[in-house]
Amino acid sequence: MRVVVIGAGAVGAACALALTEAGAEVIVLDRTGVAGETSSRCEGNILVSDKEPGAEALMAIEANRAWRELAERLDADRVPGQPATEFEAKGGIVVAFPGGASALEEFAETQRGIGIRVEALDEAALRAAEPHLSPEVALGVHYPDDAQVQPSLATQAMLARARHLGAQFRLAEVTGGIVDRDRVRGVLTPEGRIDADVVVNCAGPWAGEAAALFGAALDIRPRRGTILVTVPMPQRVFHKVYDADYVGAVGSGDAALQTSTVVESTPGGTVLIGSSRERVGFSGEGLLEPLAEIADKAARLFPFLRDTMLLRTYYGFRPYAPDHLPAIGADARLEGLFHAAGHEGAGIGLAPTTGALIAHAVLGTPAPLDPTPFLPSRPTLQGVPA
């Protein structure tokens, strides 16, 4: 079977790897390059801590396991041109300021009920784990399974392995779809047509536009996020630390600006500070307000940041689905068209399991979990008001 994958971000690379390992002939197309957009403009989160009980939480638990196996496999036997994933099983700490402790405790208890490991920290344990936290913090909850990769490098690693196994990568924009009698037959590019038995749409925030090239409808929208990066320093943040209001921001459907605090160190010594969410289309205007809010909230959580110099800031667009679940599987109408998009900020973390679900849908390989909640044909993704 010949499969064209549109998009060489983390989800596209994971799908390409899973399909290639399952025996398909795979061609990956991207107009900007490997990890050229969303996957190079994020923090590389592999989280279970921010997931409410439900389908995505179960997928996150499976993906967390899958990432550990995949990162170990990729890093242990690197092929030429394949970078290390920089996988870190650092764990996460979610904190609450006065007034928010009870809600965090209740949320953590619901997560325990579905098998997420959660450890409440008393004041002494919290200060030992993160000695530079603000004394204002009223509660900390430890999630030992939270992890991180360097997102651009991890994406490159997955695609490098897929190419080593026979997949092709071409720098090309998909300008049209080839459809014959409600059956996808390939794609059009400026260099010509590429025939295929199957097309997998992994175009991230542009997945709705990519679907439209085939006459299909997929309700995926861009949601902008911004991140600050400090200069390198001696390590003062030892886990992924975020305020409990991050969970509400992730699950919100509000188009207006929302900011919440996420702080973590990198192996290079910099500190990544996020995060913001707002639906402004693909605009790059008006970045000062989210950046200022993020900086102010981060300094409340870690006061030493007030005197820290910034190295840079950046922004990117996350693929937002109105019902807050990724769309993974066969198109609702067109035979031969599949989608893997709409993960918003969880695309890195859910990538390997997304790849496995696509391999299941396309080639019939075993599914790692029930694919039904994520199908693009689900009613909650069809006709949701903007």
Side-chain angles (χ1 to χ4, degrees):
M1 180 177 288
R2 193 180 210 201
V3 181
V4 165
V5 174
I6 303 174
V11 170
C15 290
L17 179 57
L19 290 164
T20 303
E21 289 183 329
E25 177 190 352
V26 176
I27 302 171
V28 182
L29 304 176
D30 196 286
R31 64 188 179 188
T32 58
V34 182
E37 293 287 354
T38 303
S39 294
S40 62
R41 305 181 188 193
C42 61
E43 297 164 284
N45 292 335
I46 303 172
L47 302 183
V48 294
S49 56
D50 65 337
K51 304 296 188 293
E52 297 181 1
E56 189 180 23
L58 297 178
M59 185 177 181
I61 293 170
E62 167 57 26
N64 190 284
R65 181 209 62 77
W67 252 123
R68 292 165 193 273
E69 186 274 330
L70 177 60
E72 182 178 5
R73 182 159 57 91
L74 291 174
D75 291 340
D77 184 23
R78 286 159 62 187
V79 301
Q82 177 183 318
T85 63
E86 293 190 6
F87 178 88
E88 288 187 275
K90 61 168 60 176
I93 294 179
V94 182
V95 302
F97 287 97
S102 296
L104 175 56
E105 288 177 320
E106 292 171 6
F107 180 71
E109 190 58 37
T110 66
Q111 292 175 305
R112 287 190 185 96
I114 60 170
I116 293 176
R117 292 200 295 161
V118 182
E119 302 170 353
L121 301 175
D122 61 24
E123 185 173 352
L126 179 59
R127 303 305 163 193
E130 291 292 342
H132 299 284
L133 264 176
S134 167
E136 291 184 62
V137 172
L139 176 68
V141 177
H142 181 220
Y143 290 83
D145 293 322
D146 276 0
Q148 181 182 8
V149 289
Q150 206 291 344
S152 180
L153 296 181
T155 300
Q156 293 175 51
M158 288 188 286
L159 193 55
R161 181 61 61 91
R163 295 176 73 182
H164 179 71
L165 297 174
Q168 300 178 48
F169 170 70
R170 299 182 191 176
L171 190 63
E173 181 174 5
V174 176
T175 56
I178 303 171
V179 180
D180 179 25
R181 300 174 195 166
D182 290 336
R183 178 75 170 83
V184 169
R185 300 295 181 182
V187 300
L188 298 174
T189 75
E191 291 74 36
R193 65 182 284 156
I194 301 174
D195 295 320
D197 302 298
V198 162
V199 173
V200 183
N201 173 16
C202 302
W206 296 272
E209 297 177 14
L213 295 175
F214 298 86
L218 185 69
D219 192 0
I220 302 297
R221 314 169 193 179
R223 204 176 189 191
R224 189 174 73 183
T226 52
I227 294 174
L228 299 89
V229 186
T230 73
V231 295
M233 67 181 77
Q235 188 171 12
R236 297 191 212 177
V237 183
F238 301 94
H239 301 78
K240 185 182 295 288
V241 182
Y242 64 84
D243 193 340
D245 64 0
Y246 176 80
V247 176
V250 169
S252 171
D254 197 334
L257 173 65
Q258 298 174 73
T259 58
S260 51
T261 314
V262 184
V263 181
E264 61 191 301
S265 296
T266 71
T270 59
V271 175
L272 302 181
I273 303 170
S275 66
S276 67
R277 282 172 164 76
E278 54 186 333
R279 293 214 313 273
V280 293
F282 288 104
S283 172
E285 302 295 321
L287 292 168
L288 184 58
E289 182 182 359
L291 291 171
E293 282 194 22
I294 290 169
D296 186 61
K297 290 183 176 182
R300 184 188 180 199
L301 191 61
F302 285 99
F304 76 86
L305 289 172
R306 289 201 183 277
D307 302 315
T308 300
M309 291 183 62
L310 290 178
L311 181 66
R312 65 188 179 104
T313 66
Y314 58 91
Y315 70 93
F317 300 101
R318 305 179 180 105
Y320 166 84
D323 63 357
H324 303 292
L325 284 177
I328 307 168
D331 183 74
R333 183 179 66 84
L334 277 180
E335 187 179 356
L337 179 62
F338 294 78
H339 304 287
H343 301 71
E344 200 180 329
I348 301 292
L350 300 180
T353 302
T354 299
L357 287 174
I358 285 295
H360 165 73
V362 174
L363 299 173
T365 59
L369 75 167
D370 181 9
T372 307
F374 311 104
L375 293 177
S377 57
R378 63 186 185 265
T380 51
L381 194 58
Q382 303 299 313
V384 179

